[in-house]
Structures are given as structure tokens and as C-alpha cells.
Amino acid sequence: MVHFLLSRIVPASDEQKYEFALDVAAEILPEATLDLLKLSLSLRVFSPAVQLFQQMGADYSISCAAFFDVHGVTGCTPTELESAVNSAQDRDVPELLSTDHIYGKETSPKMIVIVYGDIGSQEWLQLHNKASELTSLHKVQYVLRHYKNNGRNLNPLSLSGYGVELAIKNMEYKAVDDSIVKKDSVEADLHGFNFKLLKELHPDVSDSLDAFRMHLKEIEELAPLKQWQVQDLAFQASQRIVSEGAYNALETLKELSQNFPTHARSIARETVSQELREAIELNQKEHLSDAGLDPGESMLFLNGISLDVDSMDMFQLLDIIKQEERISSGFMNMGLKREYLSILSGLEFADEKTKYAVDYRDAYPMYLNNLDTDKRYQHWRNSVKLLLEPYYPGMIRPIARNLFNLIFVVDPAERRSRNLMKIAYSFFKHDIPLRIGLIFAVNNDKNASGLNDSGVALLNLFNFLAIDSSNHEALKLINEMLDQYRTQDEIDPSDIKTWFESNYGDADYLDVFGPKSDYDNGRK
């Protein structure tokens, strides 16, 4: 189907080809990767590879719109391609490039068909179909290199760049008699406005006309600001951006950043609200200081990664975004959606981190699994010698031994702990090779019970559910219950009571949650 559609876009415009290519890519790539593709195309990331293939194709000096190379034998038709493959056994295998698109990498013995052509043309499509057929029969490896015969662009593309200003300063000295003080006269004509006449016709709006005239003069001339006007300029610029609203904030930020001198005088008249001032000072004190930033400095973070803006270009940034997209896709495939953001954003920014160890043995974690004995891990090998064997980088080898432990210390009544509890169950569900345990850090006061403390109540409920099932099943049920209150920062004991009585009406509520409950174990 794709081949048929490609053959129909030859007479289309460049814009139509671009839109068609994105439509095809949308059927293959996830939405996030498709956005990265658009960004890559706008940055011309693949232009060097395309130009390389164009030059390599031109070196053959073949007049065909599409042609092939099979170990040094070239041709233009599918029949010639098949004949070249049948006679290519004794010729040397060509060396491939890291940018090559290879189809059929598992083919053995190694025979390589390199097709040069304009993707979408009829000539290329014929060779493509034949090469794909031979590849599906495991006869060859098919390498595609985009090449357009007579592909010299008569309309060169203008690359985006930076504006250049030529400033000419008059160095001629002039003698001016400053003893004569001239009266401040109103310009007869400023940017097409005759303010003298306007004031005569509309004396009631004289102040507004003066303000408008001052604005036009500021655009025309960048006058220096007084020292007292510069003191709060950063706060005032922030106020201007916030005042524009969420929809226009980024556009305003870009405009002020790129043309700040022309806006400086008008920004200096901005009134900063006390609420915004306190918010900025709080960020500077509590958040930016942790990242090693002083007021007035800037830093870019991407999922907790500190990026050096001064030395980074767009291509490096794109590579990092691609890496982060692969990580997020991995979390998505594990069943973690937005929960992983709390993990990444919660990472410390400071380079110097305090190293410490937590001895949790006295807390007696409630483990969800046991890799040594659980049946779900019986298909894994259990020899510790597997640690010495190579494995995929960055991954934990699945070994049916309790070698690695992951302990979650949570207060189930707190909203931020709910994500950790979901992550704990998700790791268990997806067979991550870790022994996963929970420590409930709830109120340790003996006077607190499940009747008046939500954390203790959830601990009682966990113990109650685990008796008739298992720890991981109890955690699953509690997560499902807490999902009903995900919009609330805190959960009330009455909410837990309502859920318990609706699902376990045959059990005595006081026996489970009362002060003398048999299920009040595990407080830490």
C-alpha cells in the first residue's frame, strides 16, 4: 500500500511530499517520536547523510533515474539486478556506512544490494520491489541510499541565521552653545503623528498623547535607564510575562529576551505584585540555591539533567531529548505513565551529594515477593555466577535470588507516597528482578488508631487484606481504593470506613481498626 502511494506523489509539491511522509510515519511511530521527527526535519539533521548519498550516487556517472550496485556490478532494471545477484558470489563485499538503511541484516552468506534512487519515483519503486523480494528470500541484504539524478536544486534553501546590525557612529566634534536653554517643544511630526495638532484638537487626552509620544520616542532611541530604574527590572520583566497570561507567556518571554533593550524603558514602569515578588524570592532561596544558582543566573534542566546552555547547540539538545524519550517509552511499556516524572523531577541537582546508608532491618519490611521461593520466578536461572556473564547495559539480569532489594518507606495517607506505592506494585507486576518491600512510616503514638488516623487505618487495612491473600494483592487493593481519592491531598478515616464496609461488610470495623486491633502491626 505504501509503495502504491509513494508512486503517486512524484508530481506533488515539496509540501505535499512532506505531509505525506509524516502521515506514513504517524502509522509507525508513537506521537512523541513523531514530534521529534518534525523537529529533526526542521533542523535539517539528516541533510549531511542525504548529501553524502547524493555525492556517492553521482560518482557512478550513470544516467538512470535509479540504479543498483551489487559488489561492483551496476544496472538499472530489476532483471539486471537479479542477474547481478546470481553472479556476485566471488566478488568482494562492499563496506557499508553507519548512516545506511539496511534491510535483511540476518542474511548469510553476506551479499549486499545497494539501490540508489529517488524515493517515490517509478524507477526506484521497481528496483525496490525486486530487492525486497530477494531480501525476503534471504538471498541478499538490501541497502537503500537516496539519490536524485540531476538533483541540483535550482532554488537553494535559505538557512535560518542571526540578524546583523551595522552601527555607524559620527565621530565629528561639533561646537554647541549650551548657554541657550531651548524650550521643550513638541515634535511637529513623529512617526506620522502631529502631536501639536492632536493636542490642540483633543486637549482632554493630553496626558495620554504625551505617554504615546514617549513610547514612540523610546522605540526610536534607546535611552539609558537610571540606576533606580534598573533595580527591579528583572522582577518587572517577570511581571510583564505573567500578566500576559498562560497562552501568550512564552511568546512574550521570547520577545523580551530577543529585544530587551527596546522594551526596557516600558518594563521599568511595570508594577510588581507582592505575590509574584515573594514567589520569585522563595524560588531563589529554596530551589535555585540547591542547584547552585545565584539570583540572575540561568540554567536549563531536562528531566533533572543539568544542561550547559552556553556550550550546547540544538543538535546536542535533540540527542538528549531522544534519549529521554526512549527512557520515558520504557517506563510507559512497564505500565508507568506519569508516575515516572515524579522520580525524575525529584532527583537532586547538586553535584556534591551526601552519601549515607539506611539500616532498615529493624523495621521488618513487608515484602511483596521472594525471588528464591516464589513460583513466578521458577523459569529464571538461580546461579550467582550469572553476574559474571555479560548482559544488556543498564539492565539487571533476572536471577532467581534475593540479591537486590528495593525498599519503599511510605506513609500511605500522604499523597506523594501513593505514587511510590503504585511504582512498587508495578515493579512487582512486571517481574523486575528485585525483592520489593514496604515500610509503613505511620504515626507511632499508641493513642492513635485506625479510627482517628488515616495512616494507621491504611496499615490496619493492609494487614487485614494480606491475611487472606498476599502482600502484593493487599497493595493492589489499597492502590485501587486510593485511586478513588487521587484528587485529594489527604484521605480521611471516614473514607476508609466507607470503602471497608461496602466491600467487607461481614467483618467487624472495630476489630480491624480499633485501638486493640490484631491488625495493628508494622508501625515504624
Side-chain angles (χ1 to χ4, degrees):
M1 181 64 179
V2 173
H3 299 164
F4 171 72
L5 291 173
L6 280 172
S7 65
R8 298 177 59 187
I9 67 172
V10 177
S13 65
D14 290 340
E15 181 180 1
Q16 290 173 323
K17 292 180 181 179
Y18 172 80
E19 295 295 340
F20 173 81
L22 290 182
D23 290 340
V24 174
E27 300 177 3
I28 305 172
L29 303 176
E31 184 177 357
T33 310
L34 184 64
D35 291 336
L36 288 177
L37 173 61
K38 295 178 183 178
L39 178 60
S40 300
L41 293 175
S42 65
L43 294 175
R44 308 292 193 274
V45 172
F46 308 108
S47 294
V50 172
Q51 186 62 27
L52 172 63
F53 294 153
Q54 183 70 26
Q55 292 180 2
M56 295 177 68
D59 291 341
Y60 283 89
S61 301
I62 297 177
S63 59
C64 303
F67 63 92
F68 64 84
D69 180 352
V70 181
H71 297 198
V73 177
T74 59
C76 302
T77 65
T79 304
E80 293 175 337
L81 172 58
E82 191 166 10
S83 300
V85 169
N86 294 332
S87 60
Q89 296 288 349
D90 299 330
R91 292 189 291 272
D92 294 335
V93 177
E95 185 176 352
L96 300 182
L97 307 174
S98 60
T99 54
D100 275 325
H101 305 281
I102 305 173
Y103 177 46
K105 295 183 180 181
E106 71 282 357
T107 301
S108 182
K110 196 171 185 179
M111 185 176 297
I112 298 175
V113 173
I114 303 176
V115 174
Y116 293 85
D118 185 11
I119 298 176
S121 65
Q122 288 288 352
E123 295 82 1
W124 167 82
L125 186 59
Q126 294 174 2
L127 291 178
H128 170 76
N129 289 337
K130 175 55 70 173
S132 299
E133 177 187 340
L134 295 173
T135 303
S136 62
L137 297 175
H138 303 287
K139 291 184 177 181
V140 299
Q141 283 184 341
Y142 170 27
V143 177
L144 170 63
R145 293 176 180 173
H146 181 77
Y147 168 71
K148 190 171 184 178
N149 200 359
N150 298 323
R152 185 176 180 181
N153 192 355
L154 300 179
N155 298 312
L157 179 67
S158 298
L159 296 178
S160 59
Y162 297 90
V164 179
E165 177 188 0
L166 176 61
I168 301 177
K169 183 178 181 180
N170 187 357
M171 301 299 294
E172 180 183 356
Y173 289 94
K174 296 180 180 180
V176 179
D177 186 3
D178 56 2
S179 62
I180 303 175
V181 180
K182 295 183 179 180
K183 294 183 179 180
D184 184 20
S185 59
V186 179
E187 294 87 347
D189 188 5
L190 181 62
H191 288 277
F193 294 95
N194 190 327
F195 285 95
K196 184 176 181 180
L197 180 59
L198 287 173
K199 283 190 173 185
E200 292 175 356
L201 295 175
H202 306 282
D204 54 325
V205 291
S206 178
D207 293 340
S208 299
L209 289 172
D210 286 337
F212 182 51
R213 180 172 63 88
M214 183 62 66
H215 173 69
L216 294 179
K217 290 186 68 176
E218 290 171 359
I219 296 177
E220 189 176 65
E221 180 181 357
L222 300 179
L225 297 175
K226 304 296 183 182
Q227 185 174 0
W228 60 269
Q229 292 177 303
V230 182
Q231 290 179 352
D232 277 352
L233 202 58
F235 287 90
Q236 291 167 319
S238 302
Q239 182 67 59
R240 172 73 63 85
I241 295 169
V242 172
S243 301
E244 291 295 328
Y247 185 78
N248 297 318
L250 284 178
E251 189 65 29
T252 305
L253 174 61
K254 183 180 74 172
E255 173 64 24
L256 295 184
S257 300
Q258 295 178 347
N259 304 291
F260 190 80
T262 61
H263 298 283
R265 185 164 291 276
S266 63
I267 291 175
R269 293 195 292 268
E270 196 83 33
T271 302
V272 182
S273 66
Q274 187 63 27
E275 181 182 2
L276 178 64
R277 185 183 297 274
E278 292 176 354
I280 294 175
E281 291 175 348
L282 179 64
N283 287 335
Q284 292 174 343
K285 180 180 179 181
E286 295 189 359
H287 302 296
L288 300 184
S289 59
D290 294 339
L293 286 177
D294 295 324
E297 295 182 345
S298 300
M299 186 173 287
L300 175 64
F301 292 99
L302 178 62
N303 284 350
I305 302 174
S306 175
L307 306 179
D308 187 355
V309 182
D310 295 330
S311 62
M312 175 166 292
D313 56 35
M314 276 302 301
F315 301 102
Q316 293 173 317
L317 180 60
L318 178 63
D319 290 338
I320 296 175
I321 294 175
K322 287 180 179 179
Q323 295 175 9
E324 292 302 303
E325 192 277 330
R326 285 193 290 268
I327 293 175
S328 64
S329 297
F331 278 108
M332 293 290 185
N333 294 333
M334 291 167 53
L336 299 175
K337 296 184 179 179
R338 291 193 172 273
E339 293 91 342
Y340 83 94
L341 292 174
S342 61
I343 301 176
L344 297 180
S345 61
L347 296 177
E348 294 184 14
F349 297 145
D351 293 333
E352 297 181 1
K353 299 181 180 179
T354 304
K355 295 182 179 180
Y356 58 89
V358 178
D359 187 355
Y360 58 83
R361 290 173 294 181
D362 292 339
Y364 296 104
M366 300 179 182
Y367 288 103
L368 306 184
N369 58 344
N370 189 325
L371 280 73
D372 284 334
T373 59
D374 289 355
K375 292 183 179 180
R376 64 185 297 133
Y377 307 111
Q378 285 184 351
H379 62 285
W380 292 358
R381 297 162 63 187
N382 61 0
S383 174
V384 294
K385 294 182 179 179
L386 294 172
L387 293 172
L388 304 176
E389 297 182 5
Y391 200 61
Y392 298 108
M395 298 183 65
I396 303 176
R397 175 182 284 279
I399 303 175
R401 288 291 186 92
N402 294 323
L403 299 176
F404 305 103
N405 294 269
L406 178 60
I407 307 299
F408 292 84
V409 181
V410 297
D411 181 354
E414 293 187 1
R415 187 173 185 175
R416 59 182 179 179
S417 292
R418 299 175 197 173
N419 284 337
L420 292 177
M421 294 166 66
K422 288 183 179 180
I423 292 171
Y425 182 75
S426 180
F427 281 4
F428 166 80
K429 181 180 178 181
H430 292 90
D431 290 339
I432 305 299
L434 299 169
R435 193 179 191 195
I436 302 167
L438 292 174
I439 296 176
F440 289 92
V442 299
N443 192 347
N444 205 24
D445 187 354
K446 295 182 179 180
N447 295 324
S449 68
L451 302 178
N452 52 30
D453 188 285
S454 300
V456 177
L458 288 170
L459 174 61
N460 297 155
L461 180 60
F462 179 88
N463 290 328
F464 171 79
L465 296 173
I467 287 180
D468 294 331
S469 55
S470 60
N471 286 347
H472 63 81
E473 189 65 26
L475 179 61
K476 176 185 176 182
L477 293 174
I478 287 183
N479 284 338
E480 291 175 353
M481 183 202 69
L482 292 175
D483 277 342
Q484 302 175 18
Y485 306 97
R486 58 181 175 273
T487 58
Q488 301 179 16
D489 290 334
E490 296 181 359
I491 185 172
D492 193 80
S494 61
D495 298 327
I496 302 173
K497 178 181 179 182
T498 302
W499 183 88
F500 179 79
E501 291 179 343
S502 63
N503 290 274
Y504 300 93
D506 55 338
D508 191 308
Y509 174 73
L510 291 177
D511 288 345
V512 178
F513 299 94
K516 298 181 180 180
S517 172
D518 294 333
Y519 304 97
D520 192 11
N521 300 316
R523 290 203 209 184
K524 299 299 174 185

